[in-house]
Amino acid sequence: MKLLVKNIRTLAGIEHAPKLRLQGKEMGIVNTIDDAWLLVEDGRFAAFGAVADGMPALDDTVEVVDAEGGMVLPSWCDSHTHIVFAGSREREFVDKINGLSYEEIARRGGGILNSADLLHNTSEDELFRQAMQRLDEVIRKGTGCIEIKSGYGLSLEDELKMLRVIKRMKEASPAKIMSTFLGAHAVARGMPQEQYVQLIIDEMIPEVGRQRLADFVDVFCDRGFFTPEETGRILEAAAAWGMRPKIHADELASSGGVVVGVKHGALSVDHLESMTEETIETLRGSETMPTALPGTSFFLNMPNAKARQIIDAGLGVAVASDYNPGSTPSGDMKFVMSLACIKLRLLPNEAFNAATINGAYAMGQSKDYGSIAKGKVANFYITKPIPSLAFIPYAYTTPIVNKVVLGGKLQSM
Ligand code: NIG
Ligand code: FE
């Protein structure tokens, strides 16, 4: 199966010598070819080049897709979402406008516990239906590789239910999906904290491990949720089952999440709204990708992660949506790119790399996703005619996606 994309005004995000992640000044570079073509074979990128240098010969085996003068870009890689949830929480949205903070809502038994109650009373099929609808929406917006967490179950049965839904989504969707066990998202209603931590370690992790339902493990390591000490114990238990950490760290307070994450070889530490500048040094020399979620800062009116300083210190940054019902009810990665530029002060090229190749790295998938390189999985989208890459974050509410190709197959929109 071959697919040739012609009439590409600019092919961007290409790599001749692919890197697993980009750091520091490298993040400012996006390689492009103008007036380009792109060839896909058996679901993977096979070749690309400038029309002026000659195009591949066409025969009946080649399906031709007309880019109609649009740009071609690698799909967004959204490395942090919670899109399996039941219903919505706009009542809390109003509470927040009326002055309650995210933490106050959580302390009153709202927030995550609210979603856990709703999820408990929702069937697995209905959860799957709702989550697939959200996934389809973000695919149409250009996302092609996405991580999805559990964490609204908070009991063995309901956490397994969520993870089974994610497994079904992996099988049903053309997007690449990675799954994360986030039993330690909040303490289950009415249970002492230590008893719940022990339940995660003794029962949930072994069962999730036995059933191979999660690629990664996550903990909401923050003030009012789980301590670094509890986080360390949970990460150790999960390591025995091969689940690498990707953790919620330093969102509400500089609470030691980044330090414990790096210590346990986390693939990423995410949020970082309250991370101090001194903590940046903890990340140096590690394999951990600091991941900013600027949609959360926007929606909760919180400080922004110090992504600019992290890049200026020579390190890499990823950005992700955090799509969830409480703190970020949106998975729009184009808007995340805008926020990365406007609020985190990333240049458009840096924001683009943060939302593609570095996002793929934060899911352990940058060997196969995150850029247009020979041999990588052909997940990309074609834009409407737009003047430049910087136009994407600049025109922050203008839809740009025209066609989506996942695994080398043109998707119906
Ligand atoms: O990443 N911070 C913790 N968890 C989610 C929010 C979950 C919720 O409020 O439902 C987040 O922002
Ligand atoms: Fe989150």
Side-chain angles (χ1 to χ4, degrees), residues 1-12:
M1 238 332 263
K2 286 185 192 171
L3 186 137
L4 178 77
V5 188
K6 62 170 194 179
N7 286 335
I8 305 173
R9 179 192 163 119
T10 306
L11 178 66

Side-chain angles (χ1 to χ4, degrees), residues 124 148-150 156-157 159-168 170-171 178-181 204-216 241 243:
E124 205 160 316
I148 310 174
K149 301 172 193 293
S150 71
L156 175 62
E157 261 326 300
E159 283 294 310
L160 292 176
K161 173 163 119 178
M162 287 190 78
L163 291 168
R164 282 193 302 267
V165 169
I166 302 173
K167 186 176 175 204
R168 261 173 87 181
K170 287 187 184 191
E171 289 156 4
M178 302 301 287
S179 60
T180 301
F181 168 64
M204 292 189 189
I205 288 173
E207 197 49 42
V208 170
R210 263 193 292 276
Q211 296 192 32
R212 295 174 184 276
L213 284 172
D215 302 302
F216 306 118
W241 292 94
M243 294 174 222

